[in-house]
Amino acid sequence: MKILIFVSTFRFAFCVAINATPLPKPKINDPNNIRHYVTRETIDDLESSIKISSDLSKVFFLLWTPENGPDNPLEFKAGVDPQVLLNATFDPTRDTKFLSHGWNTEGKGFGKDYVKAFFNHPDINVNVIAVDYFALATWDNYFTAAKNAVNVGQHAGQVIGVDLLLNGLGQKPEQIHAIGHSLGAHLVGHFGRVIKEQGGQGPIARVSCKF
């Protein structure tokens, strides 16, 4: 009986203490720790504590051509006049490589090695366009960055794939090869899907993923 009374009293005291003084939520020092993704509640806590942008207006693009070399890309945004790219030596008769960086990286640094490799190959003559969505893919919150990658892929598929390359510059889907790394692999998958579904001319030539 004494033991039962003690246990009952202890449980009562413990419950009163919890109800009177809620335990504080642990400080989020590492937002990418798996414990923040276990339940819907922990995900909501993470998203409310650390925000990264989901603003698609912060996304921009870079164009490299063989004539301008690897060190002088043209930076442009959605809605650009196709003539701007033609003036920068974009050639619609060449194939186009579309590149996407991954988490916590940016377009120019990611694209430059690819550009050098393409331009140094004697049998490859291409335009290269890279997306830069660094502002939407910083280290702060992988969960949000992953969602952003899907949105950026859909956005790029429409404004670059359909509106610019197909409709603005007269390219065919079979001239387009999309290459993505990490989250960029997801991005280019959506890029290609939007072109297939919205472009009305079939799928792009190829989607390649680098992990």
Side-chain angles (χ1 to χ4, degrees):
M1 178 64 75
K2 289 182 180 180
I3 293 176
L4 291 176
I5 292 173
F6 174 78
V7 172
S8 177
T9 302
F10 176 76
R11 289 177 61 192
F12 175 75
F14 179 78
C15 292
V16 169
I18 292 299
N19 291 332
T21 308
L23 294 175
K25 293 179 180 179
K27 183 179 179 182
I28 297 177
N29 294 317
D30 178 8
N32 303 302
N33 192 299
I34 190 63
R35 67 188 175 88
H36 301 308
Y37 303 90
V38 174
T39 67
R40 180 72 256 176
E41 181 180 3
T42 57
I43 292 173
D44 290 342
D45 287 343
L46 176 64
E47 289 192 303
S48 66
S49 65
I50 299 177
K51 292 289 186 181
I52 64 175
S53 179
S54 295
D55 183 358
L56 292 174
S57 71
K58 295 183 178 181
V59 176
F60 64 92
F61 303 89
L62 301 130
L63 167 69
W64 288 269
T65 65
E67 292 82 2
N68 293 328
D71 298 319
N72 299 292
L74 169 72
E75 184 177 316
F76 65 96
K77 302 200 79 170
V80 65
D81 188 327
Q83 189 61 47
V84 172
L85 273 69
L86 294 173
N87 292 344
T89 68
F90 181 97
D91 184 350
T93 67
R94 293 191 289 232
D95 288 351
T96 296
K97 304 290 186 180
F98 179 83
L99 308 177
S100 176
H101 64 83
W103 182 44
N104 201 38
T105 52
E106 44 81 33
K108 187 174 183 179
F110 173 74
K112 192 171 183 178
D113 287 342
Y114 282 89
V115 171
K116 289 180 177 179
F118 292 142
F119 292 173
N120 288 331
H121 196 291
D123 299 324
I124 297 178
N125 183 28
V126 294
N127 312 292
V128 182
I129 294 176
V131 60
D132 190 309
Y133 66 110
F134 173 75
L136 284 69
T138 57
W139 73 273
D140 309 78
N141 189 331
Y142 184 87
F143 184 75
T144 300
K147 292 194 295 185
N148 285 344
V150 174
N151 294 333
V152 173
Q154 295 170 344
H155 171 68
Q158 184 63 53
V159 302
I160 300 300
V162 177
D163 297 344
L164 183 62
L165 295 180
L166 301 191
N167 297 338
L169 293 163
Q171 290 211 292
K172 300 298 182 185
E174 55 265 29
Q175 291 179 272
I176 303 169
H177 175 197
I179 303 168
H181 167 64
S182 182
L183 287 183
H186 300 276
L187 190 156
V188 297
H190 289 280
F191 172 82
R193 179 179 56 79
V194 169
I195 294 175
K196 179 182 178 181
E197 294 178 353
Q198 303 299 325
Q201 301 181 50
I204 64 175
R206 187 178 179 189
V207 173
S208 299
C209 303
K210 174 182 179 295
F211 291 96

